[in-house]
Amino acid sequence: MEKDFLKIAEKYIQENIGADFSISLDDITDLDDIFCFYYQSKKFIETGDHRYMSVGIGPHLLIKSDERIISLPPSYTYDAAIREVRKKINTEKFIQTKCPDYNYWHDNYVLIIDKVYDETKLISILRDYRISYIVPEVIGNSIHRVGKPYKKDELEKRFENLPTEFNTLYGLFSNVLTELIQSFCCELSVTPKIIKKYNSYGENATEADYEIVW
C-alpha cells in the first residue's frame, strides 16, 4: 500500500513545529523518491492575511525510502534542495558500504581506524582534515579546551595499537570518510559521539575535566 507522505509530513510539523502550523498544500512537489513541502501558520493558510504569515521557512524534503525529513534554508528553491539532498543521499550510500549505520545528517561521530594498509596516505588525509586532540589548558581559574592538530609522529604512535579512535576533525566528516574509503588506505568504522559537558572553572572540576580527548 502506498504510504500517505502528506500525513507523515503533517505529523512531523505537529510534533516538531507546533499545532498552530500546517502543510501548505499549494507548495507540494511529490516525486518518486522525495516528497517536498513547506509549512505555514494555520491562520495564514485559512485567511491569506499576510499579518499571520511566517517568514524565513525553507523547503522540507521527506526521503521516502526511510521517512527522514530534511529541512533546508529559505535560500533554497525546490530544484536546488532536491539536487542537494540527492547528492548527499548518494554520498551516504557510498559511505554505508563501509559504515552501514552512517547517517549523513548526523554530524557527531567518532572515527575508528581498525586496520592500516597505507600509513603514509592515511596520515596525509587525516592531517589535511586537521585531525586533532583536545587538551585542557588552565589559565587562572578557568579551564580552556584547546584543539591541537596531530603531528606525523603522534599519528604514527596512535596506529601502533589498533583499533584507535579520533574524536575531532575540523573538516566535513562525509568528505574525509569518502576520501579514506576511496584511497583503500585503511579499514574504518564510525560510532556516534557521546557529547560530554566539561566544567570550565577549577573549583567545580573533576579529574575527567583535565583529561586529554583523543
Side-chain angles (χ1 to χ4, degrees), residues 17 21 26 34 50 56 70 90 97 104 116 141-142 149 163 170 174 202-203:
I17 309 301
F21 296 88
D26 294 332
I34 294 173
H50 284 76
I70 311 301
N90 288 333
T97 61
Y104 190 102
V116 176
N141 195 40
S142 299
Y170 293 104
S174 61
E203 64 265 23

Side-chain angles (χ1 to χ4, degrees), residues 2-69:
E2 177 69 19
K3 290 187 177 180
D4 190 335
F5 293 105
L6 178 59
K7 284 186 177 179
I8 295 171
E10 191 66 61
K11 183 172 183 285
Y12 169 87
I13 295 302
Q14 298 303 304
E15 293 179 351
N16 294 276
I17 309 301
D20 293 333
F21 296 88
S22 187
I23 303 297
S24 177
L25 297 179
D26 294 332
D27 289 312
I28 288 175
T29 298
D30 192 357
L31 306 172
D32 289 339
D33 55 340
I34 294 173
F35 181 85
C36 311
F37 63 94
Y38 284 89
Y39 66 86
Q40 254 305 334
S41 73
K42 288 182 177 179
K43 280 190 175 182
F44 175 73
I45 292 173
E46 292 167 359
T47 66
D49 189 331
H50 284 76
R51 291 179 299 172
Y52 303 121
M53 184 179 184
S54 295
V55 297
I57 299 170
H60 286 58
L61 282 72
L62 191 161
I63 302 171
K64 291 185 175 181
S65 61
D66 55 25
E67 298 179 19
R68 281 180 293 173
I69 293 177

Side-chain angles (χ1 to χ4, degrees), residues 110-116 119 122-123 126-127 131-135 148-169 212-214:
V110 175
L111 170 65
I112 304 169
I113 303 299
D114 298 299
K115 188 178 292 186
V116 176
E119 187 174 277
L122 174 57
I123 290 173
L126 293 180
R127 295 195 70 200
I131 196 160
S132 304
Y133 53 96
I134 306 298
V135 178
K148 301 284 188 180
Y150 275 97
K151 297 177 182 178
K152 180 176 179 290
D153 62 321
E154 291 172 328
L155 286 171
E156 290 172 344
K157 189 71 175 176
R158 294 296 311 279
F159 296 142
E160 289 179 2
N161 296 294
L162 299 174
T164 188
E165 297 184 355
F166 296 95
N167 278 268
T168 306
L169 280 159
I212 296 174
V213 178
W214 300 105

Side-chain angles (χ1 to χ4, degrees), residues 141 143 199-207 209-210:
N141 195 40
I143 304 170
N199 288 308
S200 299
Y201 298 99
E203 64 265 23
N204 300 320
T206 65
E207 288 186 11
D209 295 311
Y210 295 102

Side-chain angles (χ1 to χ4, degrees), residues 63-121:
I63 302 171
K64 291 185 175 181
S65 61
D66 55 25
E67 298 179 19
R68 281 180 293 173
I69 293 177
I70 311 301
S71 61
L72 285 93
S75 57
Y76 277 83
T77 63
Y78 265 158
D79 286 345
I82 291 164
R83 287 195 300 272
E84 180 77 7
V85 169
R86 282 177 173 165
K87 178 182 177 181
K88 290 177 178 178
I89 290 172
N90 288 333
T91 298
E92 180 182 74
K93 286 179 178 178
F94 175 74
I95 294 171
Q96 286 174 345
T97 61
K98 294 293 183 181
C99 307
D101 297 325
Y102 175 74
N103 178 350
Y104 190 102
W105 287 273
H106 177 87
D107 59 358
N108 289 316
Y109 283 105
V110 175
L111 170 65
I112 304 169
I113 303 299
D114 298 299
K115 188 178 292 186
V116 176
Y117 299 128
D118 185 338
E119 187 174 277
T120 300
K121 184 65 175 177

